[in-house]
Amino acid sequence: MQETGNRPTWPVILIDDDQWLTVCESDRDIQLAVEPDFVDDIVAAYDGLARPLELLDVGNQVTLQVSGPPQPEQLHRQVQEYFDFWTRQAAPAFQEDVRQYIASVAALARSAAARSKKGKPNR
């Protein structure tokens, strides 16, 4: 996708109201990850340039729209919270190159061992 205007750059990172992080690589992933009736459960979303996204239910399809300038520090804080609360791994180190940082977040989020309950190790 393009990097200008209101179209997001992939991958997209979604954060829900439980601080769970989901990485989406395509529009199909978005449709699988977010039901139109539950777009409000997503409390934050960022594109591949750390720009915040607005999720909209348009014709029973979830669409994404860039809603502001890059927010890498805010993204980093939410990524840190996800890894602290939901995984057994440390969050990726923050990098000045936002694309590299988001790529490292996406890769680690796919492979991180999740805990069974927020803040509590699996038993």
Side-chain angles (χ1 to χ4, degrees):
M1 292 192 134
Q2 299 174 359
E3 296 179 22
T4 60
N6 288 335
R7 298 187 71 194
T9 300
W10 301 102
V12 165
I13 295 176
L14 306 175
I15 310 289
D16 73 11
D17 55 1
D18 288 325
Q19 296 170 315
W20 186 262
L21 183 147
T22 302
V23 176
C24 297
E25 299 284 348
S26 67
D27 186 57
R28 177 171 160 63
D29 288 349
I30 295 291
Q31 302 311 313
L32 293 172
V34 183
E35 295 181 38
D37 292 342
F38 297 100
V39 294
D40 292 338
D41 290 350
I42 304 301
V43 297
Y46 302 90
D47 77 348
L49 299 173
R51 297 179 299 182
L53 302 172
E54 181 178 2
L55 278 70
L56 305 166
D57 174 7
V58 177
N60 211 27
Q61 288 280 326
V62 177
T63 63
L64 304 172
Q65 183 174 2
V66 174
S67 62
Q71 301 290 324
E73 294 83 14
Q74 184 177 350
L75 169 62
H76 176 66
R77 186 178 68 251
Q78 290 176 307
V79 166
Q80 186 70 48
E81 288 174 355
Y82 165 74
F83 280 92
D84 288 348
F85 291 144
W86 287 111
T87 77
R88 298 172 184 216
Q89 294 181 287
F94 186 72
Q95 299 175 23
E96 288 295 320
D97 183 332
V98 173
R99 287 179 184 260
Q100 283 185 328
Y101 174 65
I102 291 173
S104 67
V105 169
L108 191 55
R110 285 187 206 99
S111 66
R115 298 177 190 219
S116 60
K117 294 206 182 247
K118 185 164 84 172
K120 297 182 181 178
N122 287 327
R123 293 186 183 177

